Amino acid sequence: MIHEACTILKETQTLFVLTGAGVSAESGIPTFRGSSGLWKNYSATELATPQAFKKNPALVWEWYHWRQSLIVNAEPNPAHYALVKLEEIMPHFLLLTQNVDSLHQRAGSRNILELHGNIFRTRCLRCDRVAPYKIPEKKSDKILPTCSCDGLLRPDVVWFGESIPHAIWQRAQDFLSHTDTALICGTSGVVWPAAAIPEIARQNNARTIEINLEPTPVSSIVDISIQGKAGDLLQQLISGLNQ
Ligand code: OAD
């Protein structure tokens, strides 16, 4: 399987990569689904909603502060670094990530689009200002962060039921319209619209490769589905490309 994937990548001039939480799992960042998606008996998918924030913003912030502190103390892993290498090797490359943790950027990825926002930015519910977020040092400021206009801040991420950034989706579509190969890595393939990407790539005659620990709804759509850890498999792909 790795060998076939390498053959495809050797013929690829234009590579589109979609990543999900599985790529950051080896950095110790819990994924959203599965047992590691649980926090204090809440599932991640229950907390990442506008309704949850409206009902209990302090609880949702507590969860985001917890995730932020995990991420700040985490390091990019071999999967992130292998994707940086792939970007260097490919003449044309675009990485679309559903991750909000900036680990791709910290590893050195450059041509990257964030589909679900970024956990280190906030948006004011009153004045709509988007600003970088630093974790407050005083515990009391952590409960409900506010803007200089006194409005309540929320994490600048896309929650369930909210629209994804149109311009980013459009840029991804434009790239997909002329991509040779799409690599789908570490995503459960159940959250739309990212879940549509393998099918969109196929409709554009791109070859498709999936890397995931386990089979997903994407596995039956792609040309090659490889099971294992993203860090190991992506590093093997790079070694194969260098041979
Ligand atoms: P999920 O938590 O749904 O899925 C993570 C996927 O990564 C699963 O399919 C795992 O099998 C796989 N996985 C775990 N560890 C891996 C490893 N070491 N190597 C390879 N694969 C591994 O995460 P996403 O698909 O990213 O959105 O979820 C999509 C969106 O749903 C997230 O961006 C988030 C979430 O709710 C919002 O918060 C809006």
Side-chain angles (χ1 to χ4, degrees), residues 2 211-212 226-238:
I2 280 282
I211 287 180
N212 199 300
I226 317 174
Q227 275 156 43
K229 285 187 172 182
D232 296 343
L233 294 175
L234 287 170
Q235 293 282 350
Q236 285 177 39
L237 280 181
I238 300 294

Side-chain angles (χ1 to χ4, degrees), residues 4-21:
E4 279 115 329
C6 276
T7 307
I8 290 180
L9 288 175
K10 278 181 179 164
E11 293 164 358
T12 297
Q13 295 285 311
T14 305
L15 178 66
F16 179 95
V17 180
L18 172 70
T19 60

Side-chain angles (χ1 to χ4, degrees), residues 26-182:
E26 289 160 65
S27 294
I29 313 299
T31 58
F32 290 92
R33 287 165 191 80
S35 55
S36 77
L38 278 181
W39 173 79
K40 292 192 176 179
N41 287 330
Y42 295 95
S43 83
T45 46
E46 267 177 274
L47 293 166
T49 71
Q51 293 81 3
F53 192 71
K54 202 167 171 200
K55 193 170 154 207
N56 194 344
L59 175 75
V60 174
W61 262 119
E62 195 190 345
W63 179 58
Y64 275 101
H65 282 131
W66 172 71
R67 286 189 73 90
Q68 283 173 337
S69 55
L70 283 180
I71 294 165
V72 164
N73 292 311
E75 295 298 330
N77 67 59
H80 296 109
Y81 289 115
L83 290 171
V84 175
K85 278 264 179 297
L86 266 181
E87 180 168 3
E88 284 165 12
I89 294 167
M90 290 292 156
H92 307 284
F93 177 96
L94 181 69
L95 170 55
L96 179 70
T97 188
Q98 298 166 88
N99 298 345
V100 297
D101 56 26
S102 301
L103 287 174
H104 284 303
Q105 292 93 326
R106 279 170 56 191
S109 286
R110 298 169 75 93
N111 208 3
I112 173 169
L113 298 176
E114 292 175 320
L115 190 61
H116 290 166
N118 190 294
I119 199 171
F120 297 111
R121 278 195 316 259
T122 54
R123 184 148 46 84
C124 175
L125 289 184
R126 185 186 287 172
C127 72
D128 230 23
R129 194 168 87 97
V130 172
Y133 186 59
K134 265 187 67 190
I135 299 177
E137 282 176 12
K138 275 206 307 197
K139 215 174 170 192
S140 55
D141 293 340
K142 272 190 170 183
I143 299 169
L144 282 180
T146 49
C147 178
S148 48
C149 79
D150 267 348
L152 178 62
L153 294 175
R154 58 163 280 177
D156 189 28
V157 298
V158 177
W159 283 328
F160 286 104
E162 295 184 324
S163 316
I164 49 146
H166 176 74
I168 287 179
W169 184 247
Q170 195 52 52
R171 279 172 67 191
Q173 296 308 302
D174 292 346
F175 196 90
L176 275 168
S177 71
H178 63 272
T179 204
D180 299 321
T181 305

